[in-house]
Amino acid sequence: MVLTNSNKDLLDEMYETALHVAKEAGKVIREAFYKEKKVDTKMSAADLVTETDQAIEKMVETMIMKKYPSHKFIGEESSKDGERHTLTDDPTWIIDPIDGTTNFVNSIPEVCFSLGIKVNKETVIGVVYAPIKEELFTARLGQGSYMNGNKLQASKITDLKKAVILFEGGASRDAKILEDKMANTHSLYTNARGMRSYGSGALSICNVAAGRGQGFFEYGLHIWDFTAGGLIATEAGAVVMDPSGAELDPMHRRVLCACTQEVADSLSKLLVHIDMGWD
Ligand code: IPD
């Protein structure tokens, strides 16, 4: 799709649709949040899915494809383990119905619906909605990012020693991967002010955008965990890149986000860069 003035209206409409869909997903999360959940495991005992994840994804996919039948859709629950996706120039809606499923199962409020839209392989819209905390993060390319309508600005800290770094352990239980992740955690406890792990990659990136910490990294997450949050962070002035320092590859299952280039570079130098494959 070529972006022109005439399809500015289409992008406006897609943004409104994204907000509507996020609010509908949020209602379903809220209704199920304090009830008993039917839980299944996926790749490992730490990789969970519930009926609610599946129901939201089905509902959202139906809503989007009915309105935009020629658009592409990538969703966490309809993607099979190990399946490779191909990004095209077509508008592509990338969703995680519940990011923070383990939190959801345990009624911990750090859960969200995440929706990013790419056009010509570039993220143009990002919406992350945390319905229990009533926090709606939004961004459009070149137009800033917001939480509940208030403009976001990432922290200006440049010194890693003054930074709080968010991270996620992820679902892999492979011994070598865990060893490398423990080494990374150790380096950061030694070199940063503090570490936090909230259980949702998407919300962690939004937290960096909101100045609630200065960095986030994870090896092993997926395109649906960081597409929306990535735009929300860069529109708030943060840096989003591959942990090695290279340009972010949306299909490579790893990401580093930091409030400033200086913190990003310090993190990148310290971390053991784990290759967890591709979406
Ligand atoms: C997971 C969460 C978790 C992160 C995993 C993600 P899900 O998403 O964001 O914090 O460590 O890599 O897959 O499974 O709850 O949607």
Side-chain angles (χ1 to χ4, degrees):
M1 180 173 131
V2 181
L3 284 176
T4 62
N5 280 344
S6 63
N7 58 30
K8 188 187 159 299
D9 291 348
L10 172 61
L11 284 176
D12 288 346
E13 187 199 88
M14 283 160 63
Y15 178 64
E16 290 307 319
T17 305
L19 289 179
H20 173 67
V21 157
K23 284 181 185 153
E24 290 303 304
K27 275 188 211 160
V28 181
I29 294 175
R30 256 196 312 269
E31 272 162 29
F33 192 68
Y34 292 107
K35 295 186 182 154
E36 201 176 315
K37 287 107 178 170
K38 188 174 172 304
V39 186
D40 277 319
T41 54
K42 297 195 286 184
M43 220 180 65
S44 76
D47 190 10
L48 306 182
V49 58
T50 70
E51 285 173 313
T52 313
D53 298 68
Q54 287 161 337
I56 293 173
E57 181 153 324
K58 204 169 227 168
M59 174 186 86
V60 166
E61 183 173 7
T62 306
M63 287 164 91
I64 294 167
M65 296 320 288
K66 194 166 168 209
K67 195 151 185 175
Y68 303 108
S70 66
H71 290 191
K72 300 278 189 321
F73 180 89
I74 298 176
E76 175 175 16
E77 306 311 338
S78 44
S79 299
K80 293 181 187 58
D81 284 344
E83 177 190 31
R84 293 287 301 269
H85 292 282
T86 312
L87 262 189
T88 66
D89 286 344
D90 294 332
T92 304
W93 299 64
I94 300 164
I95 79 142
D96 188 341
I98 303 179
D99 188 60
T101 303
T102 303
N103 284 348
F104 175 71
V105 167
N106 289 283
S107 303
I108 297 169
E110 203 76 11
V111 298
C112 66
F113 169 80
S114 173
L115 193 173
I117 305 177
K118 285 189 183 283
V119 176
N120 299 332
K121 304 189 183 76
E122 182 166 39
T123 312
V124 293
I125 290 170
V127 175
V128 172
Y129 182 34
I132 310 303
K133 299 171 32 167
E134 272 303 354
E135 290 186 347
L136 175 68
F137 295 89
T138 54
R140 291 186 61 178
L141 184 64
Q143 298 181 32
S145 55
Y146 297 84
M147 186 187 75
N148 295 344
N150 299 312
K151 197 159 180 8
L152 295 176
Q153 171 61 59
S155 157
K156 300 264 199 295
I157 284 175
T158 54
D159 182 356
L160 183 60
K161 291 236 169 306
K162 294 184 178 156
V164 170
I165 304 303
L166 318 183
F167 73 104
E168 288 298 324
S172 170
R173 294 298 176 259
D174 175 274
K176 171 71 178 114
I177 289 171
L178 283 178
E179 194 184 305
D180 288 344
K181 288 187 174 182
M182 294 311 279
N184 284 340
T185 315
H186 187 271
S187 309
L188 283 165
Y189 271 117
T190 320
N191 288 285
R193 177 164 281 163
M195 304 276 291
R196 300 287 184 274
S197 183
Y198 294 121
S200 161
L203 280 176
S204 294
I205 302 177
C206 291
N207 280 332
V208 175
R212 299 162 169 172
Q214 284 69 41
F216 166 72
F217 69 92
E218 184 175 350
Y219 297 88
L221 76 184
H222 297 269
I223 187 170
W224 44 82
D225 295 315
F226 61 83
T227 298
L231 181 66
I232 291 162
T234 52
E235 287 294 323
V239 174
V240 177
M241 64 186 204
D242 183 84
S244 68
E247 194 183 326
L248 183 77
D249 177 338
M251 292 303 183
H252 203 176
R253 296 182 47 202
R254 55 194 213 174
V255 73
L256 187 156
C257 169
C259 61
T260 55
Q261 190 65 53
E262 289 86 346
V263 172
D265 293 343
S266 305
L267 278 173
S268 178
K269 277 190 204 120
L270 275 175
L271 293 166
V272 176
H273 299 304
I274 310 165
D275 196 341
M276 304 273 303
W278 305 72
D279 274 322

